[in-house]
Amino acid sequence: MLAGATGLVGRECLRLLACDDHVVEVRALVRRPLPPESRGSRVRECITDFDQLHNHLDWFQVDKVFCALGTTIRQVGSQEAFRRVDYDYPLAIAKAARARGASHFLLVSALGANAHSRIFYNRVKGELEDAVQALGYRSVTIARPSVLLGDRQEPRFGEGIAKALAWLTPLRWRPVPASNVASALVSAAHANAPGLQILENAALHTAA
């Protein structure tokens, strides 16, 4: 299963998984139909309102789950709405898949994620990481990228500045291509190592 298949990292994950001979089917959990270029023989669209996931529990009988859901407060208008997208929905997906036998959860989190952070964004990301780890998955892989580079439909404030100054930024904080994050996650899914694996931003720069 892949949640967030229309975002920067999700699109790249879908592209890699759809042409992977080790993959039988990719269930793309989306709110609207995928664009034509994202479809394929291995891709199954699972279109739903994310508040109604309980009506489609059969979708969650999968081996591995990639979760690349994410938004910004600016896009959704409030902290409450942000938390719904970045915490409630991913956790509901993780619980539903775990209850039906999924063994590996692969999460796109963020640089600075910390459940005890004073920064709301980082705190929500950290709380989600902790909640997923408590579900009993055999394997949990968490990617913590900095600013993501790629072709966004809606540019985010400050990304242009971050890109322009990237060459001055230490690798730990440097903006990273979304394709690198996707490659690292797919590689981790194939390795399927037990336990917790954290992919920090510096390591994501070497993934290709």
Side-chain angles (χ1 to χ4, degrees):
M1 174 166 281
L2 169 60
T6 58
L8 275 185
V9 176
R11 285 202 311 265
E12 292 296 326
C13 284
L14 185 58
R15 180 182 62 82
L16 293 172
L17 295 170
C19 63
D20 191 327
D21 289 337
H22 294 90
V23 175
V24 175
E25 181 179 74
V26 185
R27 296 178 183 174
L29 192 62
V30 291
R31 291 179 299 172
R32 59 184 66 90
L34 292 168
E37 64 272 16
S38 295
R39 298 169 188 167
S41 60
R42 290 190 177 95
V43 178
R44 174 185 172 188
E45 287 183 319
C46 298
I47 303 173
T48 186
D49 180 336
F50 279 72
D51 288 310
Q52 303 298 321
L53 295 178
H54 57 275
N55 291 327
H56 306 284
L57 295 180
D58 57 306
W59 289 349
F60 295 89
Q61 292 179 346
V62 297
D63 300 306
K64 299 169 187 177
V65 182
F66 290 74
C67 184
L69 285 177
T71 187
T72 64
I73 294 175
R74 183 183 180 189
Q75 285 179 310
V76 294
S78 69
Q79 289 187 345
E80 180 182 4
F82 171 84
R83 185 178 179 85
R84 184 179 306 115
V85 175
D86 277 60
Y87 180 88
D88 293 346
Y89 293 162
L91 185 56
I93 291 166
K95 287 181 176 179
R98 182 70 194 97
R100 282 149 191 85
S103 62
H104 195 165
F105 195 86
L106 301 104
L107 174 68
V108 180
S109 184
L111 179 70
N114 187 325
H116 304 289
S117 176
R118 294 183 178 180
I119 301 171
F120 176 76
Y121 177 88
N122 291 352
R123 185 167 67 252
V124 172
K125 294 292 188 181
E127 289 175 354
L128 176 61
E129 289 187 7
D130 290 352
V132 167
Q133 291 176 56
L135 294 179
Y137 275 88
R138 174 185 178 275
S139 305
V140 174
T141 300
I142 298 172
R144 292 177 178 167
S146 179
V147 175
L148 292 167
L149 302 178
D151 184 18
R152 286 191 191 276
Q153 295 178 346
E154 298 180 5
R156 293 184 179 180
F157 178 76
E159 284 189 355
I161 297 174
K163 293 176 185 178
L165 298 177
W167 66 282
L168 291 172
T169 309
L171 206 58
R172 179 180 176 185
W173 298 293
R174 188 176 303 169
V176 61
S179 58
N180 283 42
V181 181
S183 292
L185 289 172
V186 172
S187 294
H190 281 307
N192 208 30
L196 174 65
Q197 182 180 9
I198 303 291
L199 305 174
E200 298 287 3
N201 193 66
L204 293 172
H205 277 276
T206 65

